[in-house]
Amino acid sequence: MSEQRMSKADFETLAHFRYQLRRYLRFSEEVTRGNGITPLQYLLLLQIKGFPGRESATVGELAERLQAKHHGVVSLISRCELAGLVRRSVSCGDRRQVDVQLTQKGNECLEQLAGLHRRELLSLQGKFTVPDLTTLGHE
């Protein structure tokens, strides 16, 4: 199966999507820093709180969700722990693993930032959409 060449319109569609994505990420970077934490710290808090089925996540699970190396996530967790945003504990289910939970301060910080992110996403409805990739490369 040969791939068809992409048209100028295909490139414009992909470029527009990346532009919209970058604008949202830039908003996120600015709003998190403006609230005293880094974008990665916000993502860590969000992944802990948003982990399916429970209020904690293991270091390995967080590394997967953040698409980061285990040792980098351990460092990130340590910085968040020093800031009073998270706490670690030995997992009840598997004593070899470490569970990470939000502290009250972490919950409050996340609630504030997630509300701002939600508002921004609502303002982008209808403007920021995933392109129909089935039409790319087809004329």
Side-chain angles (χ1 to χ4, degrees), residues 21-44:
L21 181 59
R22 184 65 197 121
R23 281 184 61 193
Y24 177 73
L25 292 174
R26 175 74 180 259
F27 162 83
S28 181
E29 291 163 2
E30 290 175 357
V31 77
T32 54
R33 285 191 183 105
N35 279 271
I37 67 171
T38 68
L40 273 176
Q41 288 173 320
Y42 169 70
L43 289 176
L44 179 75

Side-chain angles (χ1 to χ4, degrees), residues 1-18:
M1 185 167 154
S2 65
E3 288 189 35
Q4 294 180 336
R5 293 181 58 88
M6 290 179 45
S7 69
K8 171 74 168 136
D10 292 338
F11 286 104
E12 289 174 6
T13 298
L14 289 173
H16 179 71
F17 173 72
R18 291 298 303 227

Side-chain angles (χ1 to χ4, degrees), residues 106-125:
N107 267 307
E108 290 168 0
C109 179
L110 178 61
E111 187 74 34
Q112 165 86 18
L113 288 168
L116 294 170
H117 281 81
R118 182 176 187 277
R119 250 187 311 249
E120 180 68 9
L121 282 174
L122 287 171
S123 78
L124 294 173
Q125 279 187 326

Side-chain angles (χ1 to χ4, degrees), residues 31-109:
V31 77
T32 54
R33 285 191 183 105
N35 279 271
I37 67 171
T38 68
L40 273 176
Q41 288 173 320
Y42 169 70
L43 289 176
L44 179 75
L45 300 180
L46 182 62
Q47 291 304 326
I48 294 167
K49 184 72 171 186
F51 197 83
R54 54 185 202 267
E55 294 287 324
S56 66
T58 67
V59 175
E61 290 166 337
L62 292 168
E64 170 60 26
R65 299 285 288 223
L66 295 172
Q67 291 293 288
K69 301 253 188 244
H70 188 276
H71 65 275
V73 174
V74 170
S75 295
L76 178 61
I77 291 167
S78 294
R79 290 190 302 275
C80 286
E81 196 170 40
L82 283 173
L85 301 169
V86 302
R87 71 177 154 272
R88 290 184 253 208
S89 59
V90 175
S91 174
C92 294
D94 183 343
R95 310 247 345 127
R96 296 170 296 172
Q97 294 187 350
V98 174
D99 286 332
V100 185
Q101 307 90 21
L102 298 183
T103 62
Q104 182 173 342
K105 180 180 178 182
N107 267 307
E108 290 168 0
C109 179

